[in-house]
Amino acid sequence: VTEALDWARRLHGKGLASEALRVDWAAMMAFKRTFTDVMPGRIEHMLDEAGVRTIHGSARFAGPNEVTIEGDVSARVRAHRIHIAVGARPRRLDIPGEGRVVTSTDFLELPTLPRRVCFIGGGFISFEFSHVARRAGAEEVTILHRGSRPLDAFDADLVERLVTRTRALGVNVQLDACVTAVEAEGGSLRVRYDGPDGEHAVLCDLVVHGAGRAPNLDELGLGEAGIDYGPRGVHVTRALRSVSNPAVWAAGDAADTGAPALTPVSGHDARVAAENIIANADVADVAYPPVPSVVFTVPPLARVGMLESEAEASGLEYDVHFKADTGGWYSSLRVAEPCSGFKLLVEKKSGRILGAHLLGPGAEEQVNVLAMVMKAGLTAKDVKGTIFAYPSFSSDLASFV
Ligand SMILES: Cc1cc2nc3c(=O)[nH]c(=O)nc-3n(C[C@H](O)[C@H](O)[C@H](O)COP(=O)(O)OP(=O)(O)OC[C@H]3O[C@@H](n4cnc5c(N)ncnc54)[C@H](O)[C@@H]3O)c2cc1C
């Protein structure tokens, strides 16, 4: 909804005449629920039809092959094979007043949008939600990020452009801002932070956790079951089997695979783990294809493959095709979005694309095309030689190399 609003505002006076568009937060939430609320029931029904029994509750290992469940009913399940898919939760902040900080899940359920919102951390959750909050009418929106580089999994040059665009939207992005406490003050909240030039504070109505997530393993009793794990998840083999308990598999955000914590990655993992669990043998290898990831701001920022620093460390020789500003290109002009750019890293010897970084309208779709190009082992020359539908955002890909 806020994306549509931004498009409409950008095109206002350029052929779009409607005035005073605004976000109706409650209606937007109600609309969201029409497609999110039905999913759990639908999935449970599918499981039921497939002969899978669902028990609602909190699971915990009681032994290497045994799990207890506490919920509406208490249960104890013994199994030859157990799959861990508990996902992630916001990592602990360890600051006074941490209990006053709400999670991204809470934010997505807000009945009304507060006037002043502060996000702790400069990752994709804070950037996406700050864009939503600001466009939906929050008057004061702040991101406090403790390092000098927010969105550090994305290309630094394009992130810099997105930060500029985010600030222009009216989001106060503070870098090198380490949050030290969240205090209640009257009806407001005071977020204290150490900045490069001393102590500061932001007064707001809501503080949202956007400071990273950790595998949801603390309460799972993994020690009882002899399952090795670390801060990045359950230690698994390439078959997604626990390295220390052969009766256990793990997938998605809960598994330490090195892959990014994303929905399609957990789906990929699930297929691999399921194949191995059913076979009770290591028949499938997790072997990730290039995984695209997107920050769904307006405009979006996307990445697939290596960052420049990773390409450098790989020892491969590569060319950098970089244009920080493609705002003058036709695809940006026609949607009045001047914030766009790209960077492609192409191996000299093979012509393979090692990494692609895209900012601008359509980046979330362009990156999928490049993910497929990379998975198929095609080259930059193949991209250049492709006839793309014109004018589509993907047709720009031929001009990126
Ligand atoms: C705000 C936000 C935005 C995101 N946006 C994107 C996006 O745009 N694109 C994208 O690809 N990814 C996105 N992600 C990441 C994505 O949601 C996760 O990578 C994905 O959901 C991981 O799937 P999973 O199956 O591993 O875990 P989850 O989907 O987290 O599922 C784990 C489930 O296990 C349950 N559980 C936990 N512990 C126990 C227990 N002890 N007993 C029983 N049940 C338990 C949890 O309640 C949960 O229902 C986003 C994440 C967040 C928080």
Side-chain angles (χ1 to χ4, degrees):
V1 171
T2 52
E3 186 187 12
L5 182 82
D6 196 80
W7 278 64
R9 282 187 179 157
R10 292 198 317 263
L11 293 168
H12 183 242
K14 300 180 180 74
L16 207 58
S18 147
E19 297 282 346
L21 272 177
R22 64 172 187 87
V23 171
D24 178 339
W25 186 268
M28 181 170 77
M29 286 293 162
F31 173 55
K32 180 205 75 170
R33 282 194 291 271
T34 61
F35 50 88
T36 56
D37 282 4
V38 291
M39 286 314 283
R42 210 179 270 176
I43 290 168
E44 197 164 327
H45 180 69
M46 276 160 49
L47 289 171
D48 198 36
E49 295 219 308
V52 178
R53 178 177 161 223
T54 308
I55 304 171
H56 292 256
S58 202
R60 189 182 167 88
F61 280 90
N65 288 85
E66 191 162 10
V67 173
T68 58
I69 300 112
E70 289 302 327
D72 298 344
V73 290
S74 294
R76 184 174 279 264
V77 177
R78 283 189 62 79
H80 294 296
R81 288 158 242 172
I82 299 173
H83 179 55
I84 299 176
V86 290
R89 54 158 175 72
R91 72 167 187 83
R92 263 188 272 287
L93 297 171
D94 290 327
I95 52 165
E98 179 161 6
R100 301 188 174 99
V101 180
V102 306
T103 65
S104 55
T105 311
D106 300 327
F107 181 87
L108 292 170
E109 296 296 334
L110 285 174
T112 54
L113 179 66
R115 194 173 70 79
R116 300 166 301 178
V117 189
C118 179
F119 294 91
I120 300 180
F124 73 90
I125 291 178
S126 295
F127 271 81
E128 290 177 1
F129 287 12
S130 66
H131 274 230
V132 169
R134 186 73 191 112
R135 291 192 175 95
E139 287 166 28
E140 293 174 26
V141 180
T142 308
I143 295 176
L144 301 174
H145 179 63
R146 71 175 167 190
S148 55
R149 273 266 287 113
L151 298 170
D152 59 3
F154 291 83
D155 178 77
D157 292 310
L158 299 183
V159 167
E160 204 177 305
R161 292 217 63 208
L162 182 60
V163 168
T164 305
R165 172 74 155 92
T166 303
R167 284 181 172 141
L169 176 66
V171 177
N172 174 11
V173 183
Q174 291 291 332
L175 304 179
D176 297 310
C178 185
V179 174
T180 53
V182 180
E183 299 162 356
E185 188 176 293
S188 304
L189 295 166
R190 180 181 290 275
V191 184
R192 292 193 180 278
Y193 67 95
D194 288 333
D197 55 348
E199 262 192 46
H200 297 268
V202 175
L203 212 57
C204 62
D205 308 304
L206 183 78
V207 188
V208 185
H209 189 303
R213 293 168 66 79
N216 212 348
L217 301 174
D218 294 353
E219 311 292 323
L220 211 54
L222 296 184
E224 308 290 319
I227 301 167
D228 284 355
Y229 68 103
R232 288 159 187 257
V234 175
H235 294 150
V236 288
T237 65
R238 291 182 62 89
L240 299 181
R241 197 192 279 249
S242 154
V243 295
S244 54
N245 179 341
V248 169
W249 282 258
D253 290 6
D256 184 358
T257 58
L262 294 169
T263 297
V265 171
S266 64
H268 172 87
D269 284 2
R271 282 186 289 277
V272 172
E275 218 178 300
N276 292 330
I277 290 169
I278 290 163
N280 196 21
D282 296 349
V283 292
D285 181 298
V286 77
Y288 295 103
V291 179
S293 53
V294 176
V295 185
F296 287 96
T297 42
V298 182
L301 172 64
R303 168 212 175 155
V304 60
M306 294 181 190
L307 291 172
E308 227 175 325
S309 55
E310 292 166 341
E312 231 173 276
S314 74
L316 296 169
E317 287 195 6
Y318 60 95
D319 291 318
V320 180
H321 300 252
F322 174 43
K323 205 161 169 45
D325 186 358
T326 53
W329 288 22
Y330 185 70
S331 48
S332 293
L333 293 173
R334 74 183 172 83
V335 296
E337 173 54 83
C339 182
S340 59
F342 69 87
K343 186 182 287 180
L344 257 67
L345 313 175
V346 178
E347 192 188 8
K348 277 188 198 290
K349 208 164 100 194
S350 65
R352 281 183 314 139
I353 296 169
L354 301 176
H357 305 275
L358 316 162
L359 173 69
E364 78 279 28
E365 299 293 346
Q366 291 171 329
V367 77
N368 288 331
V369 177
L370 291 176
M372 198 186 272
V373 164
M374 291 167 72
K375 180 173 186 292
L378 299 177
T379 64
K381 212 169 151 191
D382 292 318
V383 175
K384 203 150 192 75
T386 300
I387 294 180
F388 292 97
Y390 178 86
S392 62
F393 293 120
S394 292
S395 68
D396 282 348
L397 296 177
S399 308
F400 286 177
V401 286

